[in-house]
Structures are given as structure tokens and as C-alpha cells.
């Protein structure tokens, strides 16, 4: 087993670190307060090739591997998880889904501008009454001959406002349950689409999150992805890879908080010495380091399996569940090590703790990952 990264992987990691530290860090506290994404940061992310980093160069992507993606996601998430979730949705849900399941016409028209970072994508699966229970889709896509008619509401949609390309999951044949679900490419400016207000969230506040309403939205038949009834499988297969993105985001949040806590513990003095010299603090940091190392190994293993075209669904669920859960634990301890300073914004760890919470919820809660993992034990 080779634990060394290639020159190219290290370069990508360094580029992501430089971008995060030089550009994202300066105003992250204000953007989090105002709940605003910065257009210039998204443009820079596109220029760096981070919005289509894993897409085949044939479709104008960067052709990088999933290991590089994990390294870049970790570095960016150490500083700004609101922008790393945008990056994760674009790369591992939207672009990957299109590259693997769309036809050539659809890839030419929709994937290429997404992979170049000229357009942003969004993945619309969750609904007001179908979050974890994703087979219970209520949004309908009625077959009208040469088009489908979409009606319904999608909830908690990342990039809803910024995106121009939506991948929408909807029910065409309710009596067939999940086998009647389809996936569609929908242009956001189609007549009949309206957005709810920006969600006022606890964390990842700058991330663009809205509900999206469809009222008699016409979708050309040529925009259906795959065979009739393929939509649920499409969503599940796409989420298998998406969860590697969120796992590496959680890893980044945890390692960002850990680095800040370690630094603080070597500067802050109490009872005549740096607090790192108190075993109660040093042991916390030691436990945090072990959890982060385990989390990183799980992420990289899932990424490696995907890059080798080996089954990775269970590995990605394990990585997502573990990384998200330890991100919550590590960020909570980082706040504790900072004491009162941890509870104010300037020290960043309270924000990282708020961000960690969401990684236990979206792209399948920690409990959903346990369903997937436990079912795999019986196979
Ligand atoms: N790959 C391929 N097929 C899969 C699959 C996978 N990973 N997982 C399930 N399937 C198939 C099953 O084989 C089954 O097909 P058959 O009937 O033909 O055998 C079908 O899908 C239904 O599967 P289950 O019987 O397992 O369905 P279930 O209802 O018991 O549970 C679940 C499925 C795994 C719990 C699923 O509902 C799930 O993943 N829920 C969580 C949804 C989720 O992650 N939402 C996140 C929203 S996206 C988001 O957050 C993005 C963002 O903006 C950040």
C-alpha cells in the first residue's frame, strides 16, 4: 500500500491551501454574518479549475482523480465550508452524474460549460416531506408526449440561486414507487420556476440555500437522463460519490479546528505555562489527532476505490458518517480548548462547530449512512 501522494496531487493540495488562506480567510467572518457568497471567490474557484476538476478533459474538465479532489476539499473546508459545498455539489453530484449517465448531446450542451466553471449546477432531490426517505418523491413529472410537466417543491437546495443547470428528481409513475422516478436536466430560467427566500441557517450561512417550486414547468423529453424510470438509481449512484465530497468537507472542518486549537494551546498560558503542557489539554489534542487521521484514511480509501473503478458505496458511507461525527466532536473540543475565546467569532472555531453540524445532516444523515453500512454487512 502506497501512502505517498503524487507531485500533481501535492500541487493541487497546495493550490487549494493558498486560495483558502490568501483569499477566503480575509472576509469569511463577514460573509458568514451577512450570509453572502462572494462572486469573485466563485470566479477564482472556476479559474483554478476546481469546479470541474474530476471531469474528463474531453468534456472540458480537469481530469484529476478523486484523491486530488479530497485533498483540495479538505484545504478549502478548513477555511470556508460554504464555498466547499458549492464545489462539492458541482463536482461530485452534478458533473459526475452528467458525465456518467447523460447522453452525448446532453454532455455537449450542459456538462461542458459546467466543467469549465462558466455555469453552476444544483441537485434537487430533497422535498418538504422526503428528505431521508428519498423514494417518497412527491414532485411529479407527467409525461405529455414530447415534454414532461414538472410540479412540486424541492427543499434545502444548495446553489439554487447561483445555478443555471438543475438536476431534478421527480416521480413519473407513482404506482411504480422508486422504479417510476426520473431524473431531468432543467434550465433554471424555465417558466414556472420560483425560489423561496435564502434559508437563514445556523452554519454554512454563506452557502446559497433555497426551496425551489415548480409550477407546470415544461421539460423537453430530450432532457431526461437515462432510461425511463432510471431516476432513483441515478440519484443513489450519484450520492455515493457526493458523500466522498461531504466526508472530505467534514474532514477539513475538523482539521481546521484542530490546527487552530493546537496553535492556541501553544500560545495561551495558564497556571504558569502554555496550556498544551497541561495533560488535560494535550490529551484532548491527541484524541483529536487520532480521529482526524482515521477520518482522512477513510476519505482517501473511498476516493482510491472510486479511482480504481472498484465498488465504493459502503466506503463512502463509512467516510461520510465517521468524518461528520468526528467533525462535530473535534470542533466542540476546539471550542473548549479556546475557553471563552472559542465562543466568539474572531477565533473561527465556533463557526467551524456550526458548520460541522450540517455535515451530519445533508447528503444523507449519519443515521442514513448507518442504514447503508449495516445493510452492506448482510451482503
Ligand atoms: N446504488 C444503486 N442503486 C441503489 C443504491 C445505490 N447506492 N442504493 C439503493 N439503490 C437501489 C436499491 O437497489 C433498490 O433498487 P431495487 O428495488 O431495484 O432493488 C432501490 O434503490 C431502493 O433502495 P432501498 O430499497 O434501499 O430504498 P430505501 O427506501 O430502503 O432506502 C436510502 C434508501 C439509502 C435510505 C435512500 O433513501 C437514501 O439514500 N436516503 C438519503 C437521501 C439523501 O442522501 N439525500 C441527500 C439530498 S442531496 C443533498 O443534500 C445535496 C446538497 O445540496 C448538499
Amino acid at each position: 500500500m502506497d501512502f505517498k501522494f503524487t507531485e500533481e496531487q501535492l500541487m493541487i493540495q497546495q493550490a487549494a491551501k493558498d486560495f483558502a488562506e490568501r483569499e477566503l480567510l480575509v472576509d469569511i467572518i463577514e460573509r458568514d454574518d451577512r450570509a453572502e457568497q462572494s462572486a469573485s471567490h466563485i470566479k477564482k474557484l472556476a479559474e483554478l479549475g476546481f469546479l470541474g476538476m474530476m471531469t474528463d478533459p474531453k468534456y472540458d474538465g480537469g481530469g484529476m482523480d478523486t484523491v486530488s479532489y479530497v485533498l483540495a476539499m479538505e484545504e478549502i473546508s478548513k477555511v470556508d465550508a460554504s464555498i466547499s459545498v458549492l464545489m462539492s455539489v458541482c463536482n461530485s453530484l452534478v458533473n459526475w452524474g452528467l458525465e456518467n449517465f447523460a447522453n452525448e448531446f446532453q454532455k455537449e450542451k450542459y456538462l461542458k460549460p459546467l466543467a469549465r466553471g462558466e455555469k453552476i449546477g444544483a441537485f434537487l432531490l430533497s422535498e418538504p416531506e422526503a428528505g431521508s426517505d428519498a423514494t417518497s418523491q412527491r414532485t411529479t413529472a407527467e409525461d405529455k408526449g414530447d415534454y414532461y410537466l414538472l410540479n412540486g417543491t424541492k427543499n434545502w437546495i444548495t446553489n439554487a440561486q447561483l445555478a443555471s443547470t438543475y438536476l431534478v428528481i421527480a416521480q413519473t409513475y407513482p404506482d411504480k414507487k422508486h422504479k417510476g422516478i426520473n431524473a431531468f436536466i432543467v434550465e433554471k430560467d424555465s417558466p414556472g420556476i420560483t425560489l423561496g427566500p435564502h434559508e437563514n441557517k445556523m452554519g454554512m450561512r454563506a452557502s446559497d440555500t433555497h426551496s425551489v417550486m415548480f409550477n407546470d414547468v415544461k421539460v423537453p423529453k430530450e432532457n431526461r437522463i437515462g432510461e425511463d424510470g432510471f431516476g432513483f438509481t441515478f440519484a443513489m449512484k450519484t450520492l455515493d460519490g457526493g458523500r466522498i465530497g461531504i466526508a472530505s468537507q467534514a474532514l477539513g472542518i475538523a482539521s481546521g479546528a484542530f490546527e487552530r486549537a493546537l496553535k492556541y494551546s501553544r500560545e495561551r498560558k495558564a497556571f504558569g505555562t502554555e496550556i498544551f503542557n497541561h495533560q488535560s489539554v494535550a490529551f484532548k489534542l491527541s484524541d483529536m489527532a487520532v480521529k482526524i487521521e482515521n477520518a482522512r484514511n477513510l476519505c482517501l480509501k473511498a476516493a482510491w476505490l472510486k479511482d480504481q473503478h472498484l465498488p465504493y458505496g459502503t466506503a463512502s458511507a463509512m467516510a461520510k458518517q465517521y468524518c461528520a461525527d468526528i467533525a462535530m466532536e473535534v470542533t466542540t473540543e476546539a471550542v473548549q480548548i479556546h475557553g471563552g475565546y472559542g465562543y466568539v467569532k474572531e477565533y473561527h472555531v465556533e463557526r467551524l462547530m456550526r458548520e460541522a453540524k450540517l455535515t451530519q445532516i445533508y447528503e444523507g444523515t449519519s443515521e442514513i449512512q448507518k442504514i447503508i453500512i449495516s445493510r452492506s454487512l448482510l451482503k
Side-chain angles (χ1 to χ4, degrees):
M1 220 178 289
D2 188 354
F3 284 94
K4 273 204 311 289
F5 296 122
T6 64
E7 284 295 311
E8 194 193 5
Q9 289 164 344
L10 291 171
M11 268 171 54
I12 293 161
Q13 183 183 44
Q14 190 62 47
K17 186 176 167 64
D18 291 345
F19 170 58
E21 290 177 358
R22 290 185 194 150
E23 310 210 18
L24 299 174
L25 187 59
V26 273
D27 61 351
I28 179 63
I29 293 173
E30 291 74 25
R31 281 186 289 110
D32 180 66
D33 267 351
R34 294 198 308 266
E36 266 175 32
Q37 199 78 264
S38 144
S40 67
H41 289 154
I42 298 170
K43 188 162 171 273
K44 189 69 199 282
L45 207 57
E47 284 164 9
L48 285 165
F50 285 160
L51 290 181
M53 61 187 292
M54 289 184 292
T55 307
D56 193 321
K58 189 171 141 194
Y59 300 111
D60 296 347
M64 298 169 214
D65 61 5
T66 317
V67 168
S68 303
Y69 171 60
V70 167
L71 298 177
M73 279 293 296
E74 179 182 353
E75 290 306 322
I76 292 175
S77 306
K78 281 181 187 177
V79 176
D80 183 353
S82 288
I83 202 154
S84 73
V85 67
L86 177 147
M87 176 173 155
S88 180
V89 168
C90 287
N91 277 285
S92 46
L93 293 181
V94 179
N95 294 0
W96 190 87
L98 289 174
E99 183 171 355
N100 284 277
F101 303 113
N103 60 36
E104 287 306 315
F105 166 79
Q106 294 167 337
K107 289 185 203 181
E108 193 65 37
K109 184 169 178 188
Y110 295 106
L111 176 58
K112 282 188 168 183
L114 287 161
R116 290 195 295 269
E118 291 164 11
K119 291 196 170 167
I120 302 288
F123 186 80
L124 288 76
L125 171 67
S126 299
E127 299 188 349
E129 291 171 87
S132 290
D133 183 10
T135 60
S136 297
Q137 294 287 303
R138 284 174 174 72
T139 298
T140 52
E142 227 183 307
D143 188 343
K144 294 284 191 185
D146 54 354
Y147 66 90
Y148 287 90
L149 201 61
L150 279 191
N151 278 291
T153 301
K154 294 290 178 181
N155 251 24
W156 319 122
I157 303 306
T158 304
N159 302 344
Q161 181 69 58
L162 290 165
S164 37
T165 307
Y166 285 173
L167 300 191
V168 182
I169 313 298
Q171 181 58 267
T172 303
Y173 311 103
D175 48 324
K176 291 192 186 170
K177 307 220 163 102
H178 64 274
K179 293 184 197 298
I181 291 174
N182 274 310
F184 304 94
I185 305 166
V186 180
E187 296 180 15
K188 184 224 180 173
D189 56 10
S190 308
I193 296 182
T194 50
L195 268 58
H198 178 101
E199 299 290 352
N200 189 6
K201 306 187 295 293
M202 166 180 162
M204 300 203 203
R205 291 176 47 71
S207 163
D208 169 37
T209 318
H210 299 254
S211 54
V212 179
M213 279 72 76
F214 296 89
N215 184 13
D216 284 342
V217 177
K218 283 187 181 177
V219 181
K221 206 133 214 193
E222 65 195 26
N223 280 23
R224 191 187 72 213
I225 301 172
E227 294 296 311
D228 202 9
F230 177 65
F232 192 73
T233 307
F234 170 82
M236 291 298 107
K237 283 182 180 281
T238 304
L239 280 164
D240 281 343
R243 289 169 183 152
I244 300 176
I246 301 305
S248 46
Q249 177 185 60
L251 166 67
I253 293 169
S255 51
F258 169 77
E259 286 171 13
R260 287 182 181 281
L262 178 61
K263 181 168 179 288
Y264 182 83
S265 75
R266 300 178 68 194
E267 291 166 358
R268 170 76 177 177
K269 289 193 174 148
F271 305 103
T273 183
E274 288 79 16
I275 60 171
F276 185 87
N277 296 327
H278 297 299
Q279 206 173 54
S280 60
V281 173
F283 278 16
K284 274 192 202 302
L285 287 157
S286 158
D287 288 344
M288 290 153 83
V290 174
K291 287 175 185 174
I292 290 168
E293 187 66 12
N294 276 333
R296 190 175 291 114
N297 287 338
L298 282 172
C299 277
L300 290 170
K301 168 90 180 289
W304 180 85
L305 288 169
K306 183 164 175 277
D307 288 336
Q308 303 303 312
H309 309 289
L310 292 166
Y312 59 90
T314 306
S316 80
M318 286 182 178
K320 161 77 167 71
Q321 183 240 302
Y322 186 77
C323 293
D325 290 350
I326 70 103
M328 204 59 237
E329 292 163 17
V330 167
T331 53
T332 305
E333 288 294 50
V335 170
Q336 189 69 15
I337 289 169
H338 280 77
Y341 294 101
Y343 207 66
V344 294
K345 299 203 171 185
E346 293 88 301
Y347 285 77
H348 296 275
V349 286
E350 65 80 33
R351 177 176 49 76
L352 291 162
M353 183 178 167
R354 288 186 279 111
E355 288 170 344
K357 188 63 215 167
L358 189 48
T359 67
Q360 292 184 305
I361 298 171
Y362 64 11
E363 291 204 26
T365 60
S366 291
E367 292 75 15
I368 287 292
Q369 307 314 317
K370 288 182 189 179
I371 291 179
I372 295 168
I373 298 161
S374 59
R375 284 180 182 173
S376 79
L377 302 177
L378 301 176
K379 284 186 185 153

